[in-house]
Amino acid sequence: MSRRVVIGLSGGVDSSVAAWLLKEQGFEVVAIFMRNWHDESVTINNECPWIDDSNDAMLVAEQLGIPFHVLDMSAEYKKRIVDYMFKEYQMGRTPNPDVLCNREIKFDLFLKAALSLKADFVATGHYCRKGEIVQPDGSIIYQLLSGKDDNKDQSYFLCQLSQAQLAKSLFPIGEITKPEVRKIAEAAGLHNAAKKDSQGLCFIGKVKLPVFLQQQLEPKKGNIIEVPDSQALFPPKKWTWEFDEAELVKLCSPYAFSKEMGQIAGVHNGAHYYTIGQRKGLGVGGRVDPLFILETDTTENNIYVGQGENHQALQRPGIFVRNEDVHWVREDLRLKEGESHRYDVRIRYRQKLFGCTLYKGKSGLFVIFDENQRGIASGQFAAWYENDELVGSGAIS
């Protein structure tokens, strides 16, 4: 008897080829299209394509001869993802909705729905892989591995998955590249073989984040304050390789800003619309070097900016993750208080991995970079790797 796999069929070429591969491998495949958003108040010029995506997914299912269902999860999606995202932006943090979507929707609500259909596994079109380590007692430790296509590796977006979720997950296209996916789709005669990759937010398609935020969060004019690049204001932070928790807190804390540090350079429409490291959208020119956002203060509604991408205030030697925000995909590798370990880390999708040292303190996890990193914002996810395995992650404080 063949094993049943329920696949999240999005209408794109990646999940379509994943479904085709599963059927070729002899699985009993059932397709579900997840409808996560239908708030027409944020549809910009009819650019929200979920209906087209649903139709594409249905056509693929017909071509493959597999059952097709639509699952409306919009109520839970609004509660778990959208409301959380707005709350984070209002506090001046920068959440990652794609990471949250995978943790809360695709590998929680969707997984539970699939299991209710007697599925053995769920599958998605993510470019990542799953490994297994068989223990002496016969138990299995599951690994979350980078996709073979370095340009499309999406393991970062799955950085919050658990062992239980990985145990029930399959990633059929993780071993192949995007060009190979296109070739398979063409050879299989899939109608969406040449369909462009989706852009924008994971739940509202082509609608861009700034546009979406401006519709949901009220405008509120405030000052843009330009701060000079001064070591007197932002003295370089250096780590001396001593694990003193009080010193690590200072090292990993963002710089503190105040109105007295600079001059008013312009006016913005709301500090909650912006994020650290952002360059575009300020509307302030006439500088030798472009302005970058150094800090957003949503309490006082001020934005602090500085000239040049190498401004000292943009550079961070390390970050801190609170105990409650630390997540280990590999629970067997969880650091105990006082322990440290060398890993590679990234703090945003497509960023190259860079070296770091993790140190577990009493209050949380300190991530000390080998070299300063720029444009880090609270709320982003840091994910640490050992070779091509994603070991753990956490939301930056």
Side-chain angles (χ1 to χ4, degrees), residues 191-234:
H191 81 283
N192 59 352
K195 185 176 180 179
K196 293 181 179 180
D197 292 343
S198 62
Q199 300 292 327
L201 298 180
C202 62
F203 54 96
I204 50 174
K206 296 179 183 178
V207 179
K208 300 300 183 181
L209 179 60
V211 176
F212 186 66
L213 290 177
Q214 288 169 21
Q215 293 188 48
Q216 300 296 312
L217 300 177
E218 290 293 328
K220 183 181 179 182
K221 289 192 178 298
N223 290 325
I224 299 174
I225 300 173
E226 184 175 351
V227 180
D229 189 356
S230 166
Q231 288 197 4
L233 293 173
F234 310 106

Side-chain angles (χ1 to χ4, degrees), residues 291-322:
L291 293 175
F292 289 82
I293 294 177
L294 309 176
E295 181 65 280
T296 60
D297 182 349
T298 55
T299 301
E300 297 292 331
N301 197 34
N302 291 321
I303 289 176
Y304 295 90
V305 301
Q307 289 190 48
E309 61 181 354
N310 294 318
H311 195 290
Q312 181 65 33
L314 278 177
Q315 311 302 316
R316 294 279 296 275
I319 55 174
F320 175 68
V321 181
R322 298 179 302 172

Side-chain angles (χ1 to χ4, degrees), residues 88-129:
E88 288 282 282
Y89 271 101
Q90 284 176 321
M91 293 190 300
R93 292 165 60 85
T94 305
N96 189 310
D98 293 298
V99 172
L100 296 172
C101 177
N102 286 314
R103 184 184 74 188
E104 300 289 333
I105 304 299
K106 293 178 182 176
F107 293 90
D108 186 19
L109 295 180
F110 173 64
L111 174 58
K112 291 174 181 175
L115 294 178
S116 72
L117 295 174
K118 308 300 182 184
D120 297 291
F121 299 100
V122 295
T124 64
H126 284 104
Y127 286 87
C128 65
R129 297 171 293 137

Side-chain angles (χ1 to χ4, degrees), residues 1 70 87 114 147 162 178 204 219 230 295 319 324 366 379:
M1 184 176 180
V70 175
K87 181 180 178 181
S162 67
K178 183 74 177 196
I204 50 174
S230 166
E295 181 65 280
I319 55 174
E324 56 266 38
F366 298 91

Side-chain angles (χ1 to χ4, degrees), residues 15 236 240 374 397:
S15 61
T240 61
R374 65 175 299 276
S397 294

Side-chain angles (χ1 to χ4, degrees), residues 165-198:
Q165 291 167 324
L166 277 175
K168 291 293 184 179
S169 302
L170 296 176
F171 308 109
I173 64 172
E175 296 284 352
I176 56 180
T177 66
K178 183 74 177 196
E180 290 172 326
V181 165
R182 294 281 188 196
K183 289 180 181 178
I184 291 172
E186 291 172 3
L190 300 181
H191 81 283
N192 59 352
K195 185 176 180 179
K196 293 181 179 180
D197 292 343
S198 62

Side-chain angles (χ1 to χ4, degrees), residues 7 77 184 355:
I7 185 165
Y77 200 100
I184 291 172

Side-chain angles (χ1 to χ4, degrees), residues 267-341:
V267 177
H268 62 79
N269 289 319
H272 45 258
Y273 295 149
Y274 302 88
T275 187
I276 294 172
Q278 182 176 333
R279 172 182 172 181
K280 297 181 179 180
L282 287 170
V284 179
R287 305 300 194 276
V288 174
D289 295 313
L291 293 175
F292 289 82
I293 294 177
L294 309 176
E295 181 65 280
T296 60
D297 182 349
T298 55
T299 301
E300 297 292 331
N301 197 34
N302 291 321
I303 289 176
Y304 295 90
V305 301
Q307 289 190 48
E309 61 181 354
N310 294 318
H311 195 290
Q312 181 65 33
L314 278 177
Q315 311 302 316
R316 294 279 296 275
I319 55 174
F320 175 68
V321 181
R322 298 179 302 172
N323 281 327
E324 56 266 38
D325 295 327
V326 176
H327 172 77
W328 292 89
V329 178
R330 287 286 302 274
E331 283 288 347
D332 58 308
L333 299 179
R334 178 183 290 271
L335 294 179
K336 298 181 177 64
E337 186 176 333
E339 291 183 338
S340 63
H341 196 279

